[in-house]
Amino acid sequence: MNYVIEAIRARRSIRSYSGQAVPKELIEQILDAGRSAPSSLNTQPWKFVVITDRKLIGELSSSIKSFTKKLHTFLPILRIFIKELRDEKTAGAIRKTALSEEDTVFYDASLLILIVSENKGRWVTVNCALAAQNMMLAAHSLGLGSCFIGRMDVIKRCGFPLEKLGIGRRCSVQAALIFGYPKEFPGSMPERKKDNVISWK
């Protein structure tokens, strides 16, 4: 099998890490993979916030967790007005983060990379997502696990001082990625839908 396709099929979202730190040279390779992503009109709108301080990652996780607990308290009311919250998987993820004693935000990962952008153009989120996928595939090829962490729009709402992360007020967090050495790799890929091709002419 082609090694790129093999990497795509073998990568998994990892949510359980050893305490081993990711070496700087591997972090540089992951960042280079992100920089190599395509972007609309070659704008390269991304900036990367690299956080290896486990205490700082924990502080950010705790702040997001506190915000999520408040969200969970008002979930029955918010679901009336916000369609997304009526989805049971979304509500379940909020419930898990709010009620668990463990770190269910960043999963005790030793490396957190936030992809941020000052540009608010039409394609910024898509461009940063392309960079994120490059970075996760690169990490897999280097023997590391990774996971794309959703709901990062709450970073600006949870009261955490963004200056501690070096993020300016004009920046928007487009993606949050965790990396580390997995305690174990999950098995085979969950079954993928095959009936999603609309037309083949």
Side-chain angles (χ1 to χ4, degrees), residues 7 19 25 34 38 46 69 73 81 88 104 106 109 131 143 147 155 165 175 200:
E25 57 268 24
W46 43 67
K69 285 181 179 178
T73 300
F81 304 100
E88 190 47 46
T104 53
F106 300 126
C147 189
I155 286 181
L165 305 176
W200 189 327

Side-chain angles (χ1 to χ4, degrees), residues 133-147:
Q133 179 72 341
N134 269 19
M135 294 165 74
M136 291 188 292
L137 288 172
H140 175 77
S141 75
L142 296 169
L144 298 169
S146 65
C147 189

Side-chain angles (χ1 to χ4, degrees), residues 191-196:
E191 186 176 349
R192 291 299 193 249
K193 297 176 182 178
K194 299 286 187 178
D195 59 349
N196 47 16

